[in-house]
Amino acid sequence: MSATVSSRQTLDPAAPARNAPRGDKGRGRAGRQLHGGKITYAVLILFTIGSLFPLVWTAIAASRTNTRLAQTPPPLWFGGNLFNNLDKAWNGANMGTALLNTTVVAGTVAVSTVLFSTIAGFAFAKLRFRFKNILLMLTIGTMMVPPQLSVVPLYMMVAKLEWTDQLQAVIVPTLVSAFGVFFMRQYLSQALPTELIEAARMDGASSLRIIWHVVFPAARPAMAVLGMLTFVQSWNDFFWPFIALTQNGNPTMQVALTGLSRGYTPDQSLIMAGALLGTLPLLIAFVLFGKQIVGGIMQGAVKG
């Protein structure tokens, strides 16, 4: 009787499926590629259109005349004055100098913020020293102070140093940020094992060597994200550069755009053309380095 039952199980093609462990079935489901439904794709398309609309509208307005932009309904497609308006905006607002200055300012601020914030974040996350928690709370507390309150004493200091209308007046006050220190501290406290630092100490590595060979490689994903955020913020900064710099001296891109809005009736098409010129470098940088930035974010997300 037992031989008959075993032979039936062997000849039955459905027997292995019924007797297979549940783990195999779960692994089969886990290996499948997830697909979004029609509603998901529709929502993503709507969000994409809504995100791209301001940029597309800027390009449309830059290709029209000021008279056409004042009419109702507004234009919804490109005109033929794009290159003419771009040329006027470039020559009329000192855009060449502004583009170079903004690149220098944003690049210097991004590199210094990533460097100093990583070192300070490592110190707050892994080193032991007196008053560490108090200093960390004071650093975070500076984020609660509105930047408008520090403008007057900061401008008095810049004027005493005779840095008015010079790029160092914009670079030096933003060489490090409290957000960057807090961001890197939170990341390194989880991503950098303490045992790895202790092993480097036992091998005779100095603090600078540990930072260069251990901390920086472990913090590379977070450094890429912080550098991108800082570069974009510094590129788009207007409030303090508008106070410290002049449009005819050493302007940044946002300060130079103020020269296009002068007059009794500002030319909106020229303003949009200047805004488009100020946005194109960021778009080009993201197209060139976006894959590396997203890869760094995903590398930090799966680390655990």
Side-chain angles (χ1 to χ4, degrees):
M1 182 68 179
S2 60
T4 305
V5 173
S6 61
S7 63
R8 288 179 181 177
Q9 291 179 351
T10 305
L11 296 175
D12 189 3
R18 290 196 301 266
N19 297 329
R22 295 182 179 180
D24 296 341
K25 188 175 181 181
R27 285 195 295 269
R29 291 181 178 178
R32 297 176 183 175
Q33 185 177 3
L34 298 178
H35 295 279
K38 295 181 179 180
I39 298 178
T40 303
Y41 285 112
V43 172
L44 290 176
I45 290 173
L46 290 177
F47 273 100
T48 302
I49 294 175
S51 301
L52 292 177
F53 178 76
L55 180 62
V56 175
W57 167 249
T58 301
I60 292 175
S63 64
R64 295 286 183 167
T65 62
N66 196 35
T67 304
R68 179 63 185 90
L69 292 179
Q71 295 177 359
T72 304
L76 298 177
W77 193 245
F78 298 94
N81 295 328
L82 177 60
F83 295 102
N84 185 31
N85 289 335
L86 291 176
D87 182 68
K88 290 182 179 179
W90 181 271
N91 296 321
N94 202 9
M95 283 289 181
T97 303
L99 181 61
L100 178 61
N101 291 342
T102 308
T103 304
V104 172
V105 171
T108 305
V109 170
V111 171
S112 64
T113 298
V114 170
L115 179 63
F116 293 139
S117 296
T118 304
I119 296 175
F122 163 68
F124 282 122
K126 296 299 179 179
L127 299 184
R128 295 180 180 179
F129 53 92
R130 301 180 64 181
F131 310 114
K132 181 176 74 172
N133 294 330
I134 296 177
L135 291 176
L136 180 61
M137 290 297 105
L138 290 176
T139 303
I140 299 175
T142 59
M143 300 171 58
M144 313 299 174
V145 180
Q148 292 82 0
L149 296 181
S150 61
V151 168
V152 175
L154 184 59
Y155 186 81
M156 293 174 61
M157 187 181 301
V158 167
K160 186 175 294 186
L161 294 174
E162 298 181 355
W163 285 358
T164 54
D165 203 18
Q166 298 184 26
L167 294 183
Q168 57 263 35
V170 181
I171 295 175
V172 173
T174 55
L175 286 178
V176 66
S177 67
F179 169 77
V181 174
F182 177 72
F183 178 77
M184 296 305 301
R185 185 261 179 192
Q186 294 298 107
Y187 180 84
L188 290 174
S189 62
Q190 300 293 330
L192 183 60
T194 306
E195 294 79 6
L196 191 61
I197 303 174
E198 294 177 352
R201 294 283 189 191
M202 293 179 63
D203 290 339
S206 61
S207 298
L208 292 178
R209 191 171 183 180
I210 291 175
I211 292 173
W212 185 260
H213 292 283
V214 178
V215 178
F216 284 168
R220 192 176 300 167
M223 292 170 69
V225 176
L226 180 61
M228 178 192 65
L229 296 176
T230 306
F231 185 87
V232 173
Q233 180 183 4
S234 180
W235 186 281
N236 295 325
D237 192 14
F238 172 75
F239 182 68
W240 172 243
F242 181 72
I243 296 174
L245 305 177
T246 61
Q247 197 273 331
N248 295 323
N250 280 319
T252 57
M253 185 64 68
Q254 308 305 323
V255 177
L257 289 178
T258 59
L260 298 175
S261 59
R262 295 176 180 176
Y264 184 74
T265 55
D267 194 336
Q268 299 296 331
S269 62
L270 288 182
I271 296 175
M272 292 299 178
L276 187 62
L277 287 174
T279 307
L280 284 178
L282 292 179
L283 296 178
I284 295 173
F286 187 79
V287 169
L288 294 178
F289 304 105
K291 188 175 182 180
Q292 288 80 0
I293 294 172
V294 175
I297 296 174
M298 295 307 299
Q299 181 181 352
V302 299
K303 204 174 240 185

